[in-house]
């Protein structure tokens, strides 16, 4: 038996398998990043592979439910399997579940929008939003990442946890105005951040959306790591700054309840 031949054949098979996976992943990325169903012709042009190879890979992906053909355009989009797996394996499901009762009680008590979000490297990610019975309400931010803005209530809470060096680095860039109420003066923003540290809540009064007001509180784990934010918000004509400040105790109590629910995990 020629062991050298066996070794060469094994390496060839492994290399072929990895190459096929790499190519399939490239196609999935192209399909996932396309704003509309993408045609086979455009896939071939974008990936640099020949038509037969792309057709064969797409066929395998389609058979497994990872991609599907749009009946109207005959272009390809991500298949339902992606969404089913994402729903089953959402890393924030546990946090959402443990905050659920508290958030629902808070929403029902104030009849305004309640948002649960988490800090990310590139901003703040909204993982759950509970809307009130009101017909005029905030837009749905669920599953969206908001860049770290000094003009959002949860952004101010996050900035209040920064070290002196981290805050200095953030303030070294220009403070962009989102509305006419956005704070763009660095000294004034520092004053707001200090107020947030002292009061344990962040306020945004028409600073991110001209007609939106909001207040956020942090949620910490047992090691005092910031893991989430609770935000209450609504239109300015119905939820004023004074209204929000009156709800400060209620919001902080809700944050504390969620912290206790997280602490009891596994007990």
């Amino acid at each position: 038996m020629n062991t050298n031949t066996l070794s060469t054949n094994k390496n060839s098979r492994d290399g072929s398998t990895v190459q096929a996976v790499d190519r399939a992943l490239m196609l999935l990325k192209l399909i996932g990043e396309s704003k509309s169903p993408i045609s086979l012709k455009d896939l071939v042009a974008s990936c640099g592979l020949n038509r037969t190879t792309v057709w064969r890979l797409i066929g395998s992906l389609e058979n497994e439910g990872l991609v599907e053909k749009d009946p109207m355009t005959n272009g390809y989009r991500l298949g339902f399997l992606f969404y089913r797996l994402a729903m089953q394996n959402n890393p924030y499901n546990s946090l959402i579940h443990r905050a659920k009762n508290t958030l629902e009680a808070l929403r029902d008590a104030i009849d305004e929008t309640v948002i649960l979000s988490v800090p990310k490297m590139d901003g703040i990610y909204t993982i759950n939003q509970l809307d009130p019975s009101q017909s005029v309400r905030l837009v749905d931010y669920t599953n969206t990442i908001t860049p770290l803005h000094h003009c959002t209530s949860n952004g101010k809470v996050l900035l209040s946890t920064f070290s002196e060096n981290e805050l200095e680095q953030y303030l070294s860039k220009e403070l962009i105005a989102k509305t006419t109420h956005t704070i763009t003066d660095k000294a004034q923003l520092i004053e707001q951040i200090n107020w947030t540290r002292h009061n344990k809540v962040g306020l945004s009064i028409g600073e991110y959306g001209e007609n939106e007001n909001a207040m956020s509180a942090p949620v910490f784990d047992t090691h005092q790591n910031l893991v989430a934010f609770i935000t209450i918000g609504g239109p300015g004509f119905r939820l004023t700054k004074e209204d929000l400040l009156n709800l400060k105790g209620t919001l902080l109590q809700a944050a504390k309840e969620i912290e206790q629910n997280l602490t009891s995990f596994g007990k």
Side-chain angles (χ1 to χ4, degrees):
M1 182 177 292
N2 190 328
T3 56
N4 289 334
T5 302
L6 281 176
S7 176
T8 301
N9 289 342
K10 180 178 184 300
N11 289 337
S12 176
R13 288 197 301 271
D14 289 346
S16 175
T17 300
V18 171
Q19 185 183 62
V21 171
D22 288 342
R23 289 174 169 178
L25 289 174
M26 177 172 59
L27 293 178
L28 285 174
K29 288 179 181 178
L30 288 170
I31 294 170
E33 291 170 356
S34 178
K35 294 182 179 180
S36 58
I38 184 171
S39 68
L40 182 67
K41 178 181 177 181
D42 288 339
L43 278 173
V44 172
S46 299
C47 71
L49 301 175
N50 64 60
R51 183 183 179 88
T52 301
T53 299
V54 173
W55 180 258
R56 186 172 65 249
L57 290 170
I58 284 293
S60 296
L61 293 172
E62 189 174 13
N63 288 339
E64 295 298 326
L66 291 169
V67 301
E68 59 187 27
K69 183 181 287 188
D70 182 87
M72 299 296 293
T73 65
N74 284 327
Y76 291 93
R77 60 190 178 200
L78 293 181
F80 179 72
L81 180 61
F82 265 109
Y83 302 101
R84 182 166 64 83
L85 292 175
M87 290 299 293
Q88 291 176 344
N89 296 280
N90 186 338
Y92 301 111
N93 275 343
S94 178
L95 176 57
I96 293 171
H97 173 71
R98 289 181 171 271
K100 180 176 181 292
N101 291 341
T102 300
L103 297 182
E104 288 180 347
L106 180 60
R107 185 269 316 272
D108 293 344
I110 66 176
D111 201 22
E112 294 292 355
T113 297
V114 176
I115 295 172
L116 181 67
S117 55
V118 295
K120 302 282 285 183
M121 288 295 292
D122 49 356
I124 295 170
Y125 178 49
T126 298
I127 61 175
N128 197 17
Q129 178 168 325
L130 283 69
D131 290 315
S133 62
Q134 310 276 5
S135 58
V136 179
R137 59 182 69 163
L138 298 185
V139 299
D140 189 356
Y141 292 103
T142 308
N143 295 325
T144 63
I145 293 180
T146 304
L148 173 55
H149 280 305
H150 58 283
C151 52
T152 63
S153 55
N154 47 19
K156 288 178 184 176
V157 171
L158 182 54
L159 288 172
S160 74
T161 67
F162 277 20
S163 67
E164 186 175 337
N165 287 338
E166 288 172 330
L167 188 57
E168 184 177 344
Q169 184 177 358
Y170 179 83
L171 293 173
S172 65
K173 61 183 180 180
E174 181 185 3
L175 299 177
I176 305 297
K178 293 286 289 185
T179 73
T180 57
H181 301 293
T182 303
I183 296 173
T184 56
D185 179 78
K186 294 180 181 179
Q188 189 178 355
L189 178 58
I190 291 174
E191 186 177 323
Q192 274 276 304
I193 293 170
N194 289 334
W195 183 93
T196 299
R197 286 196 184 110
H198 177 74
N199 288 275
K200 305 185 188 309
V201 294
L203 282 174
S204 177
I205 308 301
E207 297 175 57
Y208 184 71
E210 194 80 35
N211 301 308
E212 294 181 1
N213 293 340
M215 179 170 64
S216 297
V219 175
F220 296 99
D221 64 13
T222 54
H223 302 290
Q224 288 302 295
N225 296 310
L226 179 65
V227 295
F229 312 92
I230 308 181
T231 302
I232 54 179
F237 71 85
R238 194 174 64 227
L239 194 63
T240 66
K241 179 180 180 179
E242 290 71 27
D243 293 330
L244 287 169
L245 290 175
N246 287 335
L247 292 169
K248 173 185 165 185
T250 303
L251 181 63
L252 289 174
Q253 179 59 37
K256 182 62 64 178
E257 285 182 11
I258 294 176
E259 289 177 351
Q260 291 170 347
N261 287 337
L262 294 177
T263 304
S264 65
F265 182 79
K267 294 184 178 179

